Amino acid sequence: AGMRCRILLPSLLLVIAVAAACGPVKKGAPQGGVVLWGDSFGEQVAPLLPYEEHYFGGTAPCHWLPEIRWHAAVRPPAVAVLLFTGSTMPCGGLDRYVPDTLEAIRVLEAAGTRVFVLAAPCVKAGPGVPEVNPIYTSGGVPLAWGPHDSVCPGGVYTEAYRLSDQHLNATGVARFAYEIRALAG
């Protein structure tokens, strides 16, 4: 297995430091592997996925765009998984989710990367954070729903798979990680 790099707080200096630590790579075609970018749901599933992980609870696509651009230019993955379920962080007002996600898709696909934007497991949104899936779909973001269409109403993510804060419990995390692996490899 290759070296796994974990970035907890996105910043240009941190990206440069991690890039140096990960070693030299050639520009050009995708380097292989799967990279996950995400928020707290990404943080929950990351330990069960054999991917390079870049996540931090409460982040939004805008927080990761500089790093996504770097990866696309210097070390494009074969597959990218984007998992952002809704945040009220300053740069990531929900009005920015669609344009920032579409920009990430454009940049990664131009580098030859297959991109999956995961539909968020439907949970009861908290104050100020409406469900993000309708925001994505109304803005034209192509969502990956999983092979069993299990992340939304009528699927498996019922109360039995959630914690009181609406994150996933251990069973829900395992199920969601399974869905991600089935989609992204």
Side-chain angles (χ1 to χ4, degrees), residues 167-178:
H167 282 87
L168 300 173
N169 62 22
T171 304
V173 168
R175 179 61 186 227
F176 196 42
Y178 165 79

Side-chain angles (χ1 to χ4, degrees), residues 81-173:
V81 175
L82 306 178
L83 174 56
F84 296 97
T85 60
S87 171
T88 56
M89 295 286 279
C91 86
L94 286 168
D95 61 328
R96 293 297 317 157
Y97 268 62
V98 167
D100 292 341
T101 300
L102 291 173
E103 173 67 7
I105 293 168
R106 185 191 65 74
V107 166
L108 288 163
E109 286 181 344
T113 300
R114 283 183 35 227
V115 181
F116 293 99
V117 180
L118 296 179
C122 292
V123 296
K124 295 175 187 166
V129 185
E131 186 184 332
V132 74
N133 292 339
I135 293 168
Y136 279 138
T137 56
S138 68
V141 174
L143 290 178
W145 292 93
H148 302 19
D149 293 332
S150 62
V151 297
C152 276
V156 301
Y157 291 98
T158 62
E159 294 299 320
Y161 288 88
R162 296 197 298 245
L163 299 171
S164 61
D165 72 354
Q166 299 306 312
H167 282 87
L168 300 173
N169 62 22
T171 304
V173 168

